[in-house]
Amino acid sequence: MRSHAPPHARMGRFMRRSWALLSFGSLLLVLAVATISPRSQAASTWQPLGAIDELPTLPAHELVLMPRLVASDALFGSFLRHNGGAERLGGIDACQLGMLEVEGDFCPQVEQVCLRWLDPEHRFQCAEFAKNSAPVGCPVKTEHKHFCVDRYEWPNREGALPAYMTSWYEAKASCESLGKRLCTDTEWTLACEGPERQPYPYGDGYARDPLACNVDKPYIWPHPDRVFDPKMRDEELARLDQREPSGSRSSCVSPYGVYDMVGNVDEWVVNASQAGHPYMSGLKGGFWGPVRTRCRPMTTGHSETFRYYQIGFRCCGDPLAVDVGDAPLATRTR
């Protein structure tokens, strides 16, 4: 039924209802503040505010949700760069099985003075480098690196002959099929030289030793036409082949524990130090023949499609960001 009350009466009822609702809302607000304040105070005693202030502010395109331990040892979720500052607990490996963790500072410019050449005319093979009484300094800014590297050349199995006759593209695809990647030349150099940036990855690091690694074997002249002829390839490769099983020379190991970094087979890398010029592909370490076979040099004259009888590779990868929340309870207890 339609109300016949005068307009001023209807307006009075509307005003009384509005004041009642406003009073009720104010009461709810007071109760909410009273309830939240004690909880906020309790939270502040459990987690120092300063720990929250330490979390980095990153561009949106670099944000990856990762766990982080803060000052109070309480676990919070925060946004961090991938593998940048992720916590790793003792006993939890940062690398895939068969890989070694390498962390150190790479120096783009290192002076290595040869005192005596085995081949004075070409100056490829240095018999002895000048020793430094202290770790080599770096005249330019160093590049901090943290990565994983295969212990052995592909297929990364001790006692297996390393692969050869592979192109850079094939090497890259093989590594990526296992969730890895090709090493950059700077990563490869650091893993070979060690933290003191020595020319050779064995012995004292300064004297060439043809017995330490599979190097300096007599050169056998190849016949390229036979290498690439399907009918004669196997016979020609067998004639040229002087590979040895990976890890068979226990002395051929770098300061980081990586085997056969010089000699055995030349290894494909990503040409990072020269920004991909003339090719993205580079070769490191040399092979079994009488060539440079030391840590620092890189061959850059072969394109990504090139393959030959002495060329193989090994893989690198990024350290695994370990979620401490998934760690066994015993490792998380202090």
Side-chain angles (χ1 to χ4, degrees):
M1 178 179 296
R2 183 183 299 270
S3 175
H4 297 285
H8 66 274
R10 291 197 299 270
M11 180 61 69
R13 288 197 299 269
F14 175 79
M15 293 296 296
R16 286 193 296 273
R17 290 174 184 173
S18 299
W19 280 110
L21 289 173
L22 181 62
S23 300
F24 183 71
S26 301
L27 178 61
L28 288 178
L29 179 62
V30 172
L31 291 175
V33 171
T35 304
I36 291 173
S37 296
R39 292 181 181 176
S40 301
Q41 294 171 2
S44 65
T45 60
W46 174 56
Q47 168 57 38
L49 183 61
I52 303 299
D53 295 337
E54 294 172 2
L55 299 181
T57 301
L58 302 177
H61 68 277
E62 293 186 354
L63 296 182
V64 179
L65 185 59
M66 299 290 291
R68 170 175 176 149
L69 285 177
V70 291
S72 67
D73 291 337
L75 189 62
F76 284 85
S78 63
F79 287 101
L80 299 177
R81 290 182 180 88
H82 181 60
N83 293 331
E87 298 287 342
R88 187 168 67 85
L89 299 182
I92 300 179
D93 292 333
C95 299
Q96 294 186 35
L97 185 65
M99 304 188 81
L100 296 171
E101 184 177 5
V102 174
E103 185 168 10
D105 296 320
F106 171 75
C107 180
Q109 297 180 16
V110 173
E111 183 180 11
Q112 295 173 340
V113 179
C114 183
L115 300 178
R116 179 169 56 91
W117 295 95
L118 292 178
D119 54 342
E121 181 180 356
H122 302 290
R123 296 193 171 190
F124 279 157
Q125 301 160 271
C126 182
E128 182 183 4
F129 282 92
K131 290 185 179 180
N132 297 281
S133 58
V136 182
C138 189
V140 297
K141 184 178 179 180
T142 60
E143 303 170 8
H144 187 75
K145 297 187 178 297
H146 185 199
F147 59 96
C148 302
V149 60
D150 283 351
R151 187 185 298 268
Y152 306 105
E153 293 161 322
W154 183 276
N156 194 27
R157 291 200 305 269
E158 183 179 10
L161 286 174
Y164 65 161
M165 281 293 290
T166 60
S167 71
W168 185 87
Y169 284 126
E170 290 169 337
K172 180 175 181 290
S174 297
C175 291
E176 291 173 354
S177 71
L178 298 181
K180 304 178 184 180
R181 55 177 172 79
L182 277 181
C183 307
T184 66
D185 66 297
T186 53
E187 289 173 333
W188 196 102
T189 300
L190 177 61
C192 183
E193 288 182 337
E196 295 190 2
R197 303 165 192 144
Q198 298 167 335
Y200 295 112
Y202 49 76
D204 66 359
Y206 296 95
R208 189 182 186 92
D209 183 358
L211 300 179
C213 298
N214 182 18
V215 299
D216 293 351
K217 287 184 175 178
Y219 186 72
I220 302 175
W221 285 98
H223 300 294
D225 56 328
R226 296 182 181 181
V227 171
F228 296 104
D229 186 333
K231 295 181 179 179
M232 295 183 285
R233 179 179 55 205
D234 292 345
E235 181 181 351
E236 179 65 6
L237 290 179
R239 185 181 72 87
L240 298 171
D241 189 6
Q242 298 187 66
R243 294 171 298 166
E244 293 181 359
S246 293
S248 58
R249 300 204 186 196
S250 59
S251 56
C252 190
V253 58
S254 79
Y256 284 105
V258 189
Y259 282 83
D260 304 316
M261 296 208 77
V262 297
N264 223 17
V265 293
D266 231 344
E267 299 182 21
W268 284 122
V269 294
V270 176
N271 179 3
S273 63
Q274 299 179 28
H277 299 292
Y279 303 106
M280 284 300 299
S281 51
L283 288 167
K284 296 282 290 184
F287 67 114
W288 58 75
V291 292
R292 290 178 296 187
T293 48
R294 59 182 187 268
C295 294
R296 179 80 28 172
M298 176 173 61
T299 301
T300 59
H302 302 300
S303 71
E304 294 84 358
T305 59
F306 181 77
R307 68 176 77 230
Y308 214 34
Y309 68 94
Q310 86 284 16
I311 297 177
F313 63 100
R314 79 176 71 225
C315 303
C316 281
D318 297 324
L320 304 175
V322 178
D323 186 345
V324 294
D326 293 335
L329 184 59
T331 65
R332 288 188 278 127
T333 304
R334 299 193 178 189

